[in-house]
Amino acid sequence: AQKITQTQPGMFVQEKEAVTLDCTYDTSDPSYGLFWYKQPSSGEMIFLIYQGSYDQQNATEGRYSLNFQKARKSANLVISASQLGDSAMYFCAMRPFSSGSARQLTFGSGTQLTVLP
Amino acid sequence: DGGITQSPKYLFRKEGQNVTLSCEQNLNHDAMYWYRQDPGQGLRLIYYSQIVNDFQKGDIAEGYSVSREKKESFPLTVTSAQKNPTAFYLCASSPSGGNRNTEAFFGQGTRLTVV
């Protein structure tokens, strides 16, 4: 079974500054994918960024980047140049890819990010 | 447009009643999931299905049931055995396979309230 841990229930950041949201995971699968989602107060889930366990480089998508440290089993999300619209709940998730594994998509408990003007 | 449709958006249930939440996708995805979200909490997996006519229990399956008779549809029934069903329910789908970007797509959610 896999587990995702997000240890920051809430974070504050000043507008235009960078912020790092922490995520650690635990799995015995050698092949897996890591995902970050944003959930505004409306409740919709917005996919932000993906990192494969065998990817050599850290993923980047616009202002989002993923600091992937496989040996430490961490996949922290970095948001650069924060905007007021970034205020939302952020979830880290993982899905194993190995054949025969239960390929369920498991989420962490989330981090509520508030961007201050 | 391709996507996932959940209905209804809001649902009220009397105690002791069963209710069914609809989830339909036209993305041709093999895998589908149901999650429950309580206020200020993360997503907990109720059931998931990798293929038609097959599904597995997630972490909190008690009091819920599902079916997967068609690839496009994965309805969730909240039974009277679920003691605290008031929550936000999210349905998701994703392609099968591994070693590639296979993010899950989510519906807009159903907010269930027991009255």
Side-chain angles (χ1 to χ4, degrees):
Chain A
Q2 50 265 20
K3 185 178 179 181
I4 303 287
T5 302
Q6 294 180 253
T7 58
Q8 306 155 312
M11 289 279 288
F12 292 89
V13 64
Q14 209 67 40
E15 194 178 6
K16 300 180 184 178
E17 291 186 350
V19 63
T20 298
L21 306 183
D22 294 341
C23 172
T24 58
Y25 59 92
D26 189 22
T27 182
S28 56
D29 255 89
S31 177
Y32 50 89
L34 295 156
F35 307 83
W36 276 92
Y37 285 85
K38 172 184 178 181
Q39 187 182 43
S41 56
S42 59
E44 62 183 311
M45 295 288 284
I46 302 168
F47 167 72
L48 297 177
I49 195 167
Y50 163 85
Q51 178 82 45
S53 59
Y54 287 110
D55 292 342
Q56 296 297 314
Q57 293 187 332
N58 287 345
T60 60
E61 288 286 347
R63 294 187 299 111
Y64 304 108
S65 60
L66 205 151
N67 183 2
F68 180 48
Q69 299 187 48
K70 192 171 181 178
R72 294 186 176 183
K73 293 190 174 180
S74 73
N76 299 339
L77 176 70
V78 181
I79 304 175
S80 63
S82 297
Q83 302 172 355
L84 295 178
D86 292 337
S87 294
M89 192 76 148
Y90 288 81
F91 292 101
C92 179
M94 183 182 69
R95 183 166 177 247
F97 291 151
S98 300
S99 61
S101 67
R103 295 182 184 178
Q104 61 186 66
L105 182 62
T106 302
F107 284 80
S109 55
T111 295
Q112 180 69 47
L113 177 66
T114 302
V115 180
L116 303 171
Chain B
D1 287 353
I4 300 179
T5 302
Q6 286 187 244
S7 62
K9 189 172 181 179
Y10 298 96
L11 185 58
F12 296 89
R13 187 194 94 171
K14 291 183 179 179
E15 286 192 21
Q17 283 184 338
N18 293 355
V19 289
T20 297
L21 283 60
S22 170
C23 178
E24 303 277 333
Q25 55 102 355
N26 60 3
L27 300 166
N28 200 33
H29 287 167
D30 289 315
M32 296 189 74
Y33 310 82
W34 272 107
Y35 294 91
R36 169 181 172 140
Q37 187 178 26
D38 293 289
Q41 304 295 315
L43 279 66
R44 292 186 290 168
L45 183 65
I46 305 172
Y47 269 97
Y48 65 105
S49 169
Q50 308 263 26
I51 196 169
V52 173
N53 292 323
D54 187 44
F55 47 83
Q56 289 81 39
K57 292 182 179 180
D59 301 318
I60 55 165
E62 186 175 350
Y64 300 96
S65 66
V66 293
S67 63
R68 188 86 187 276
E69 298 176 1
K70 299 187 298 181
K71 189 175 186 178
E72 303 79 18
S73 179
F74 191 41
L76 173 74
T77 297
V78 184
T79 74
S80 57
Q82 171 50 238
K83 297 306 178 188
N84 185 22
T86 295
F88 186 54
Y89 291 87
L90 282 161
C91 178
S93 72
S94 70
S96 288
N99 290 330
R100 63 178 182 270
N101 190 346
T102 55
E103 78 268 21
F105 292 79
F106 283 82
Q108 295 296 307
T110 294
R111 198 166 297 278
L112 173 63
T113 303
V114 173
V115 297

